[in-house]
């Protein structure tokens, strides 16, 4: 189909597609039959602010999560070894954690980093740790490679991650992976001051984020479809 639409021979089209796959400009379904925009293109799109369609499609569910949890809620993606905030709904409480779309977070930033990296191949994560190091953002940050990898295994088993002051002192967060099939790996998380984020609130937030994950995936998959 691509060969016909582009007017190229099948061999030329095949070579172009595989070159774009290598560069991350395209991504492929596990069955190999469908192609989608890859992380490199997504990164360029976000950097130039041409992502209004995606933001518009997910803003209502993100707002709904904020209204239920009563804290700031963020949708982010793992793009080129960094975490980029794609959409956010800030708490209406004056004492809140702010988050703006387009903001880039470090690769190993608390709950968001853990939930996005938990879905990655263990050896790839190990290499990322060795390439970038585990930063000590706060005294609670996990800086030991094996302890961090064990934490990721726990996140895989539970399906969510929690950050108790690991990235920002006095701040707690909980994150859930979306496991979206198209686009870069994405997750949704809520963040607030530790004094307002008791264990019961964290558990409730995880529950409502999990319930919303499928709806978010459907909207995101439509946004990334060719």
């Amino acid at each position: 189909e691509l060969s016909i639409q582009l007017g190229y021979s099948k061999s030329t089209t095949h070579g172009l597609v595989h070159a774009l796959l290598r560069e991350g400009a395209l991504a492929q379904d596990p069955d190999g039959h469908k192609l989608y925009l890859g992380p490199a293109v997504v990164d360029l799109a976000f950097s130039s602010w041409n992502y209004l369609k995606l933001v518009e499609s997910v803003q209502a569910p993100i707002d709904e999560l904020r209204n239920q949890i009563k804290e700031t809620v963020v949708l982010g993606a793992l793009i080129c070894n960094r975490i980029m905030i794609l959409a956010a709904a800030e708490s209406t409480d004056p004492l809140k954690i702010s988050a703006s779309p387009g903001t880039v977070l470090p690769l190993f930033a608390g709950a968001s980093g853990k939930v996005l990296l938990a879905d990655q191949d263990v050896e790839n994560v190990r290499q990322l740790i060795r390439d970038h190091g585990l930063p000590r953002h706060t005294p609670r940050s996990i800086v030991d490679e094996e302890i961090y990898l064990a934490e990721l295994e726990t996140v895989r088993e539970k399906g969510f991650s929690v950050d108790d002051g690991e990235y920002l002192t006095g701040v707690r967060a909980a994150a859930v992976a979306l496991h979206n099939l198209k686009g870069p790996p994405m997750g949704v998380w809520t963040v607030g001051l530790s004094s307002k984020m008791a264990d019961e609130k964290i558990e409730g937030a995880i529950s409502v984020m999990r319930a919303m994950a499928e709806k978010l995936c459907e909207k995101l998959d439509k946004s990334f479809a060719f």
Side-chain angles (χ1 to χ4, degrees), residues 7-204:
Y8 297 153
S9 67
K10 287 186 178 179
S11 61
T12 297
T13 304
H14 184 271
L16 288 170
V17 166
H18 279 271
L20 292 170
L21 286 169
R22 286 195 301 272
E23 294 301 319
L26 290 178
Q28 197 167 30
D29 260 358
D31 61 13
H33 294 302
K34 293 182 180 180
L35 296 168
Y36 307 101
L37 294 180
V41 172
V42 176
D43 190 30
L44 288 172
F46 293 147
S47 298
S48 61
W49 299 95
N50 293 322
Y51 59 98
L52 292 180
K53 180 183 176 183
L54 182 146
V55 173
E56 288 174 358
S57 71
V58 299
Q59 192 61 56
I62 296 298
D63 289 344
E64 185 178 338
L65 285 173
R66 184 267 319 277
N67 294 340
Q68 292 184 59
I69 299 170
K70 309 297 184 186
E71 294 292 346
T72 296
V73 174
V74 177
L75 174 76
L78 182 62
I79 301 175
C80 298
N81 296 333
R82 56 183 183 166
I83 300 169
M84 181 174 286
I85 294 178
L86 311 183
E90 293 190 357
S91 169
T92 57
D93 192 319
L95 295 175
K96 64 185 176 184
I97 303 299
S98 294
S100 302
T103 300
V104 174
L105 304 176
L107 180 61
F108 301 104
S112 57
K114 288 189 288 188
V115 83
L116 291 170
L117 289 171
D119 277 349
Q120 306 300 303
D121 180 79
V122 174
E123 289 308 311
N124 288 344
V125 176
R126 194 183 293 276
Q127 190 59 53
L128 286 171
I129 292 173
R130 293 173 181 176
D131 289 344
H132 301 278
L134 287 168
R136 188 180 295 279
H137 297 293
T138 76
R140 290 178 173 268
S141 299
I142 302 174
V143 294
D144 181 276
E145 179 180 319
E146 295 307 320
I147 294 176
Y148 191 83
L149 291 174
E151 177 77 0
L152 294 189
E153 182 60 32
T154 300
V155 172
R156 288 187 199 99
E157 293 173 358
K158 293 184 175 180
F160 64 86
S161 65
V162 175
D163 167 7
D164 191 0
E166 295 169 30
Y167 179 52
L168 296 171
T169 299
V171 172
R172 295 191 80 189
V176 171
L178 297 186
H179 305 297
N180 49 297
L181 297 176
K182 303 171 187 176
M186 297 187 195
V188 61
W189 58 93
T190 184
V191 56
L193 299 176
S194 298
S195 59
K196 299 167 55 188
M197 296 284 278
D199 289 345
E200 295 80 4
K201 188 168 187 175
I202 291 283
E203 291 170 6

Side-chain angles (χ1 to χ4, degrees), residues 195-217:
S195 59
K196 299 167 55 188
M197 296 284 278
D199 289 345
E200 295 80 4
K201 188 168 187 175
I202 291 283
E203 291 170 6
I206 291 168
S207 178
V208 297
M209 288 191 293
R210 276 178 154 173
M212 186 66 77
E214 184 176 350
K215 183 177 180 180
L216 283 167
C217 278

Side-chain angles (χ1 to χ4, degrees), residues 53 182 217-226:
K53 180 183 176 183
K182 303 171 187 176
C217 278
E218 289 176 359
K219 291 181 175 293
L220 288 166
D221 285 347
K222 288 179 182 178
S223 296
F224 281 103
F226 274 19

